[in-house]
Amino acid sequence: KNKFSDRTILLPSETFEILKIWKVEQEKLFKQDPYFNLSDAKNYLFTYVNKNNELKPIYSEYADHRLKTICKKLNLRRITVHGLRHTIATLLHERNIHIVSIAQLLGHANESETLKTYTHSTIRGSEQINDALVNILNTSEVTEYQRAKQTS
């Protein structure tokens, strides 16, 4: 979409190890099937076989379909891959991760797009607002303001 779309992201070491194991397993599966041409796999980590027995990289609709199946099986509310993107951005923002860092992770040119599109209000955010308001109301400034108003 833009020059920021191609990016390198850091992964937790645990995730990286799981992906390395999957890549080895995937290559074993490909070697067992004479229809697969390993050169087709190239650097794709997540693939599927189309109707013509061609190995292709996973596309978003396929991932959404698989995610829908998993959610249904586990009796979870349905979410799309793009919905997970929104959720991740919101949760990172809620945990005070700098918005510029979140924008870079998502491949946005600037943080305003991230704030406008990908961060949503959450129950935790509402609770934080309530806690902040209680703290404000309990400060000596508010108490002094109330006393001054009562005496005037």
Side-chain angles (χ1 to χ4, degrees):
K1 288 182 168 183
N2 64 54
K3 69 179 182 177
F4 300 97
S5 295
D6 273 345
R7 60 206 177 275
T8 301
I9 59 170
L10 297 175
L11 292 175
S13 58
E14 297 87 356
T15 303
F16 189 71
E17 290 304 314
I18 290 168
L19 293 176
K20 281 179 15 186
I21 291 167
W22 167 242
K23 187 66 174 170
V24 170
E25 290 299 314
Q26 186 183 47
E27 287 175 4
K28 285 180 192 174
L29 290 170
F30 293 157
K31 288 177 184 175
Q32 291 173 3
D33 194 322
Y35 293 106
F36 288 123
N37 179 352
L38 278 180
S39 64
D40 290 344
K42 298 185 182 169
N43 292 321
Y44 297 124
L45 189 58
F46 302 107
T47 57
Y48 76 103
V49 178
N50 71 10
K51 292 176 184 175
N52 299 324
N53 252 0
E54 298 167 322
L55 189 66
K56 297 290 182 181
I58 286 180
Y59 57 99
S60 63
E61 290 84 4
Y62 178 85
D64 282 339
H65 171 72
R66 299 297 302 147
L67 189 55
K68 179 181 177 183
T69 302
I70 292 167
C71 288
K72 188 173 184 177
K73 184 176 181 178
L74 297 174
N75 200 27
L76 298 172
R77 191 175 125 235
R78 184 176 177 270
I79 190 167
T80 63
V81 172
H82 197 77
L84 288 174
R85 180 179 166 95
H86 282 262
T87 301
I88 289 167
T90 300
L91 294 175
L92 290 172
H93 185 254
E94 191 174 80
R95 282 163 181 75
N96 298 318
I97 302 300
H98 198 280
I99 195 67
V100 171
S101 298
I102 298 170
Q104 289 171 345
L105 174 69
L106 297 175
H108 291 162
N110 58 59
E111 62 275 6
S112 63
E113 180 181 347
T114 307
L115 283 170
K116 179 178 71 176
T117 310
Y118 287 92
T119 57
H120 307 286
S121 178
T122 62
I123 292 171
R124 183 168 180 240
S126 297
E127 289 169 351
Q128 289 172 331
I129 289 170
N130 286 339
D131 291 345
L133 289 172
V134 167
N135 287 335
I136 289 169
L137 293 173
N138 288 330
T139 64
S140 59
E141 282 180 35
V142 172
T143 307
E144 289 174 22
Y145 173 77
Q146 289 172 333
R147 282 189 203 135
K149 197 168 183 179
Q150 287 174 351
T151 57
S152 57

